[in-house]
């Protein structure tokens, strides 16, 4: 428990600093745009502020173990419909000057999840994806979620360069990343794996290769009915 708390605290410290910086930039943008009254830009910045505050709240709640446990509510949902609702108009698909397209495929199926945890899982996957799509200046960057109802799985991938071989075997372990220290601590996928395990799901890398000859596809397997 002590080690686990230390890992969460380290992650929270990093996320609080990152999100606080984002909030400050959004506010500066709002004040600049108020001078020219461009309502659409103001709206986007306000949405970004709201999204980051909610994201930060969910992360912070993990520290309060007793409160977090009391708030956990398992719900039986249509996973594709729920995913689409959670990600609709999400500002996370924009990173710096990169706007990422969101593609949702396949058929729906019902499964039991913790909604707040599932939202954090999706947001972590998007943040990681948009970072690398922007980093490599990928043309027509696209984030895809494919639902395979017959196997009760979802595939999550983008059209980027894929997973670097140096981290592909340790990707779900804590503090494993090839991002610069100031941009990531290697905790995102570890948290995704841990949260999925709360409702009996698991995540792995598919052996499928992309055009860069790298593995690139995450497979989330949900428990049987």
């Amino acid at each position: 428990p002590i080690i686990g708390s230390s890992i969460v605290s380290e992650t929270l410290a990093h996320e609080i600093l990152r999100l606080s910086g984002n909030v400050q930039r959004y506010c500066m943008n709002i004040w600049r745009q108020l001078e020219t009254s461009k309502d659409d830009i103001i709206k986007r910045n306000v949405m970004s502020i709201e999204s980051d505050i909610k994201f930060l709240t969910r992360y912070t709640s993990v520290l309060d173990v007793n409160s977090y446990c009391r708030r956990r509510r398992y719900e039986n949902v249509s996973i594709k419909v729920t995913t689409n609702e959670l990600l609709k108009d999400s500002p996370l698909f924009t990173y710096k000057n990169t706007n990422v397209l969101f593609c949702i495929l396949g058929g729906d199926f019902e499964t039991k999840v913790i909604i707040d945890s599932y939202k954090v899982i999706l947001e972590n996957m998007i943040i990681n994806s948009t970072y690398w799509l922007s980093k490599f200046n990928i043309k027509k960057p696209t984030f895809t979620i494919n639902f395979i109802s017959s196997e009760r799985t979802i595939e999550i991938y983008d059209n980027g360069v894929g997973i670097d071989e140096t981290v592909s075997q340790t990707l779900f372990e804590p503090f494993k990343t090839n991002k610069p220290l100031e941009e990531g601590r290697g905790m995102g996928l570890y948290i995704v794996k841990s949260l999925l395990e709360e409702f009996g799901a698991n995540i792995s890398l598919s052996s499928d290769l992309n055009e860069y000859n790298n593995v690139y596809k995450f497979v989330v397997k949900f428990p049987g009915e």
Side-chain angles (χ1 to χ4, degrees), residues 79 83 109-113 118 121 147 151-154 196 199-202 219-225:
I79 195 67
T83 301
F109 60 93
E110 289 193 357
T111 190
K112 188 174 291 185
V113 299
Y118 186 58
I121 289 164
F147 295 82
E151 299 178 11
R152 298 182 62 78
T153 64
I154 60 176
L196 282 169
F199 40 87
N202 63 73
V219 178
V220 177
K221 174 71 174 177
F222 290 89
E225 296 178 283

Side-chain angles (χ1 to χ4, degrees), residues 29-66:
N29 288 338
I30 289 174
W31 283 112
R32 291 193 190 102
Q33 298 307 323
L34 281 173
E35 297 175 0
T36 55
S37 298
K38 293 182 179 179
D39 292 344
D40 56 332
I41 296 177
I42 293 174
K43 182 179 179 180
R44 285 200 300 272
N45 278 282
V46 172
M47 287 176 61
S48 295
I49 290 173
E50 292 176 341
S51 176
D52 272 7
I53 289 174
K54 290 177 181 177
F55 191 80
L56 184 59
T57 300
R58 285 193 294 277
Y59 261 105
T60 306
S61 68
V62 178
L63 276 182
D64 186 357
V65 177
N66 292 327

Side-chain angles (χ1 to χ4, degrees), residues 149-223:
S149 57
S150 60
E151 299 178 11
R152 298 182 62 78
T153 64
I154 60 176
E155 298 175 331
I156 302 174
Y157 56 94
D158 58 46
N159 61 335
V161 300
I163 309 300
D164 192 299
E165 291 182 2
T166 61
V167 295
S168 62
Q169 300 300 315
T170 58
L171 204 59
F172 301 106
E173 297 177 12
F175 307 115
K176 301 294 182 180
T177 184
N178 49 8
K179 292 180 182 178
L181 182 61
E182 67 275 10
E183 295 183 2
R185 299 295 180 91
M187 290 296 296
L189 289 173
Y190 172 75
I191 289 173
V192 165
K193 180 176 181 294
S194 299
L195 291 178
L196 282 169
E197 289 173 349
E198 284 192 320
F199 40 87
N202 63 73
I203 185 169
S204 60
L205 274 177
S206 169
S207 59
D208 292 355
L209 302 179
N210 61 11
E211 61 181 297
Y212 301 95
N213 205 37
N214 290 325
V215 292
Y216 71 106
K217 189 181 295 183
F218 293 93
V219 178
V220 177
K221 174 71 174 177
F222 290 89

